[in-house]
Amino acid sequence: KNQVEQSPQSLIILEGKNCTLQCNYTVSPFSNLRWYKQDTGRGPVSLTIMTFSENTKSNGRYTATLDADTKQSSLHITASQLSDSASYICVVTRMDSSYKLIFGSGTRLLVRP
Amino acid sequence: EADIYQTPRYLVIGTGKKITLECSQTMGHDKMYWYQQDPGMELHLIHYSYGVNSTEKGDLSSESTVSRIRTEHFPLTLESARPSHTSQYLCASSARFPGQENGYTFGSGTRLTVV
């Protein structure tokens, strides 16, 4: 079964601290993996996209890693800010004629002052 | 600037009313999608389209209907709104091969409340 599992479900950290969110997937065949940030009541915004051959990609204070062998990805947030409070969604695209996106349930991050 | 637009952002409507949620994109994307998302929950695909005059139902059963008469426009209609339809509705579009960077883009969503 094609699945995307994220952990933790929710996380609270203090402003300025770093954190790492995890994503494990069983989607096959694999096309790419995306991390999205979704503010409450808004649509998801893409942070990074990685293909099979890429194992790390950065976007400002966000760094995503991908281990295609173990089918694991992580999103590391450095020097967190209050505006980082949001849900972070891991999405894997299945490589078939439909290029179907499989969504994780997200990690809800709260950054406190 | 190319983007994807949803209107209205918020809608409060009475039971039994007919509503249409609008979605338009200026990126020339072939594929468009509608997702339903309850607060704090994951996104569920309810409709998608791979081009003009093409519409398909998604993974989650929905009483809504969609149409795709123009490439850039993908409206969603509820003939008779009910409180169970209260949710956030997100529209998305993608390039033919969504593995491209920025190849899968979401609108800001419509938060629907049926009273």
Side-chain angles (χ1 to χ4, degrees):
Chain A
K1 183 179 179 182
N2 292 305
Q3 281 191 317
V4 177
E5 303 285 346
Q6 291 188 243
S7 61
Q9 198 170 34
S10 60
L11 181 63
I12 301 174
I13 62 173
L14 293 176
E15 186 179 12
K17 298 296 186 183
N18 303 336
C19 67
T20 300
L21 314 180
Q22 299 290 344
C23 175
N24 297 337
Y25 63 93
T26 58
V27 178
S28 181
F30 172 88
S31 175
N32 58 67
L33 184 146
R34 306 166 190 265
W35 282 95
Y36 283 91
K37 177 187 179 187
Q38 184 178 23
D39 293 316
T40 301
R42 309 291 296 187
V45 174
S46 181
L47 295 175
T48 64
I49 178 172
M50 289 181 293
T51 59
F52 184 87
S53 59
E54 297 173 295
N55 54 25
T56 186
K57 184 166 280 190
S58 292
N59 178 359
R61 293 179 297 102
Y62 301 103
T63 299
T65 65
L66 173 65
D67 186 333
D69 291 330
T70 62
K71 297 187 176 180
Q72 297 179 325
S73 176
S74 65
L75 181 69
H76 186 73
I77 304 174
T78 304
S80 60
Q81 300 175 358
L82 299 180
S83 59
D84 292 332
S85 295
S87 286
Y88 292 84
I89 306 171
C90 176
V91 185
V92 178
T93 304
R94 192 169 69 202
M95 184 186 285
D96 57 20
S97 59
S98 69
Y99 284 95
K100 184 173 183 178
L101 269 64
I102 313 296
F103 288 80
S105 56
T107 292
R108 283 179 286 284
L109 175 66
L110 177 61
V111 180
R112 285 189 168 157
Chain B
E1 180 179 328
D3 213 338
I4 181 165
Y5 306 96
Q6 287 187 246
T7 57
R9 281 282 291 121
Y10 303 95
L11 178 61
V12 181
I13 200 163
T15 298
K17 299 292 186 183
K18 177 180 179 179
I19 59 170
T20 296
L21 308 184
E22 300 289 347
C23 178
S24 296
Q25 51 96 5
T26 60
M27 294 172 281
H29 284 168
D30 291 326
K31 301 180 180 182
M32 296 188 74
Y33 313 82
W34 277 103
Y35 290 85
Q36 185 174 340
Q37 185 182 32
D38 292 327
M41 304 298 287
E42 60 194 90
L43 282 77
H44 293 284
L45 181 67
I46 53 174
H47 298 285
Y48 62 96
S49 167
Y50 284 174
V52 171
N53 293 326
S54 153
T55 61
E56 302 286 345
K57 291 190 179 296
D59 303 322
L60 180 68
S61 175
S62 174
E63 295 169 343
S64 59
T65 59
V66 292
S67 62
R68 189 89 182 275
I69 299 173
R70 303 197 316 267
T71 299
E72 64 272 19
H73 194 215
F74 191 40
L76 180 145
T77 299
L78 276 165
E79 290 294 332
S80 179
R82 294 207 300 269
S84 60
H85 296 141
T86 295
S87 188
Q88 175 160 260
Y89 293 84
L90 288 159
C91 181
S93 71
S94 72
R96 183 164 299 180
F97 302 106
Q100 301 166 225
E101 193 73 43
N102 298 323
Y104 203 101
T105 307
F106 285 88
S108 295
T110 293
R111 180 161 294 284
L112 172 66
T113 302
V114 183
V115 297

